[in-house]
């Protein structure tokens, strides 16, 4: 081996040994300082409560975690909880319509002078359409609950609401029904409902719904609340509006159904009934049914079915 090919440390072993020792000492000191800083910073941060640590340990042991197992860990549902501040003074039934008229329609009925002349040619005299809107569940529940206030979450053209009007009239009830819907339909719905007109991009679902109510002489029984289900239920809760019977039939995906059920349950009178459509569909346990089952398990409630409808009767839970 030639001299210029020999390893560098053979030229001056003492000097290189000292350099390596110095480098090692400096590097070690730097690492120690970094570790001490990290440790001090970690210790200065408040440690999670013992209960939370146990929950995290339990979570790590789930393999794989099921929906119901996750539901038992409160922290897992924090982002899905409804935290609306509700009124501490529920309104009596006879003040429900006046309150909505005041808060939503500036104190006057939306049916006054309806429809205006410019809309008449765009509306059908009546255009009723719904899904599962005349099932036996409606009559069964109305006869049992005898509701003074009904809230329908998701109404479309009002088929089930108007069916409930007829049922309440038959047994002599003066029931008020609030129909909560944004009345926008869904993207592409006019492919199936070509006769629902639009004006300047505004689909006339709300106006056709109101025309249906006028046609069936139900303006004193049915009132639209034209907002999204989330914001509408939140405001009803803040205003102190509660109901004896609540129907959920808006969005059919899990997140939508979960939000609607949780918000609606907060404005259900003690002993009231909450129910909804689409419990048995092709979505199986990925949509409405999953939301209903999870909600019932978390709140220790029992689910009954009536056709394609699910029913949760809180009066039964109170008796149990």
């Amino acid at each position: 081996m030639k001299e210029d090919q020999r390893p560098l440390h053979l030229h001056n072993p003492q000097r290189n040994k000292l350099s390596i020792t110095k480098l090692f000492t400096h590097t070690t000191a730097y690492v120690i300082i970094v570790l001490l800083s990290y440790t001090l910073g970690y210790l200065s941060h408040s440690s999670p409560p013992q209960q939370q640590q146990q929950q995290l340990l339990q979570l790590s042991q789930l393999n794989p975690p099921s929906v119901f197992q996750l539901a038992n860990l409160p922290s897992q549902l924090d982002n899905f909880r409804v935290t609306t501040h509700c009124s501490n003074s529920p309104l009596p039934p006879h003040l429900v319509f006046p309150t909505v008229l005041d808060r939503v329609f500036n104190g006057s009925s939306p049916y006054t002078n309806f429809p205006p002349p410019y809309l008449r040619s765009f509306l059908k005299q009546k255009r009723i359409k719904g899904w599962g809107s005349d099932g036996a569940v409606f009559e069964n529940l109305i006869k049992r609950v005898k509701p003074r206030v009904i809230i329908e979450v998701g109404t479309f053209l009002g088929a089930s609401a108007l069916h409930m009007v007829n049922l309440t009239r038959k047994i002599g009830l003066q029931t008020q029904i609030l129909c909560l819907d944004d009345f926008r339909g869904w993207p592409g719905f006019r492919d199936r409902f070509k006769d629902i007109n639009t004006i300047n991009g505004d689909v006339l679902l709300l106006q056709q719904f109101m025309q249906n109510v006028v046609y069936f002489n139900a303006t004193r029984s049915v009132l639209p609340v034209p907002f999204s289900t989330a914001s509408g239920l939140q405001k009803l809760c803040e205003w102190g509006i509660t109901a004896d019977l609540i129907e959920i039939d808006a969005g059919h995906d899990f997140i939508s159904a979960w939000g609607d059920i949780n918000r609606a349950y907060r404005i259900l009178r003690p002993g009231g009934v909450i129910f909804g459509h689409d419990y048995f569909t092709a979505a199986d346990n990925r949509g409405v049914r999953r939301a209903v089952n999870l909600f019932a398990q978390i709140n220790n409630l029992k689910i009954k079915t009536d056709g394609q409808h699910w029913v949760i009767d809180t009066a039964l839970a109170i008796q149990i």
Side-chain angles (χ1 to χ4, degrees):
M1 181 180 290
K2 296 181 180 178
E3 183 174 335
D4 60 347
Q5 292 178 327
R6 286 179 296 178
L8 183 61
H9 69 273
L10 295 179
H11 290 290
N12 196 336
Q14 290 286 358
R15 186 176 62 186
N16 282 287
K17 183 176 180 180
L18 182 60
S19 299
I20 292 172
T21 302
K22 186 182 296 184
L23 176 62
F24 177 78
T25 303
H26 289 171
T27 303
T28 303
Y30 178 76
V31 171
I32 291 173
I33 292 173
V34 171
L35 288 174
L36 284 173
S37 300
Y38 177 83
T39 303
L40 289 172
Y42 178 81
L43 291 176
S44 66
H45 188 277
S46 59
S47 300
Q50 184 176 1
Q51 183 179 2
Q52 185 176 350
Q53 291 178 344
Q54 292 175 350
Q55 290 177 348
L56 293 174
L57 178 61
Q58 292 172 3
L59 178 61
S60 67
Q61 293 172 343
L62 299 177
N63 187 28
S66 69
V67 171
F68 298 120
Q69 286 171 317
L70 288 175
N72 290 328
L73 302 177
S75 61
Q76 299 304 310
L77 290 175
D78 283 347
N79 293 332
F80 297 96
R81 294 190 183 281
V82 178
T83 58
T84 303
H85 177 70
C86 295
S87 171
N88 295 323
S89 303
L91 290 175
H94 71 276
L95 291 182
V96 168
F97 265 32
T99 299
V100 174
L101 288 174
D102 180 58
R103 301 275 187 148
V104 180
F105 300 106
N106 295 323
S108 61
S109 171
Y111 300 110
T112 302
N113 299 321
F114 183 87
Y118 79 94
L119 274 182
R120 289 172 186 166
S121 63
F122 291 93
L123 302 176
K124 305 291 183 183
Q125 188 177 23
K126 66 172 181 174
R127 177 64 166 96
I128 307 296
K129 174 61 182 176
W131 297 267
S133 302
D134 57 357
V137 64
F138 293 98
E139 185 170 7
N140 295 337
L141 292 178
I142 286 174
K143 283 183 175 179
R144 185 162 88 247
V145 178
K146 295 180 173 57
R148 296 186 63 183
V149 177
I150 297 174
I151 294 176
E152 181 178 65
V153 182
T155 198
F156 197 48
L157 290 168
S160 57
L162 292 169
H163 178 58
M164 288 190 284
V165 168
N166 290 331
L167 293 172
T168 56
R169 285 174 175 174
K170 284 182 181 179
I171 59 177
L173 297 176
Q174 294 183 337
T175 304
Q176 298 178 327
I177 303 176
L178 297 179
C179 292
L180 178 58
D181 198 305
D182 62 8
F183 294 98
R184 300 298 304 168
W186 58 90
F189 91 95
R190 291 192 70 251
D191 294 340
R192 297 176 58 185
F193 298 89
K194 299 183 185 299
D195 59 331
I196 303 296
N197 289 296
T198 63
I199 298 179
N200 298 116
D202 181 24
V203 62
L204 301 182
L205 267 176
L206 173 60
Q207 293 82 354
Q208 186 60 61
F209 161 81
M210 292 173 62
Q211 173 60 37
N212 294 338
V213 174
V214 170
Y215 178 84
F216 284 97
N217 192 29
T219 58
R220 294 187 178 183
S221 303
V222 177
L223 194 60
V225 183
F227 301 108
S228 69
T229 58
S231 61
L233 287 169
Q234 175 179 319
K235 285 303 176 183
L236 294 181
C237 192
E238 292 176 0
W239 298 338
I241 293 176
T242 59
D244 310 292
L245 185 64
I246 300 179
E247 180 196 7
I248 307 293
D249 192 14
H252 298 154
D253 60 284
F254 170 77
I255 294 297
S256 297
W258 172 260
D260 289 344
I261 294 168
N262 277 271
R263 289 184 175 91
Y265 188 71
R266 299 192 74 191
I267 59 174
L268 183 68
R269 287 185 182 276
V273 174
I274 183 170
F275 73 111
H277 194 224
D278 297 293
Y279 192 72
F280 299 107
T281 66
D284 194 42
N285 197 36
R286 300 185 301 277
V288 173
R289 197 193 319 168
R290 179 185 174 203
V292 174
N293 290 348
L294 179 57
F295 176 81
Q297 184 174 38
I298 291 174
N299 292 282
N300 296 316
L301 298 168
K302 289 191 175 182
I303 304 168
K304 291 188 175 182
T305 58
D306 191 333
Q308 277 207 337
H309 285 76
W310 55 271
V311 178
I312 295 178
D313 189 340
T314 61
L316 297 179
I318 292 173
Q319 292 173 6
I320 294 173

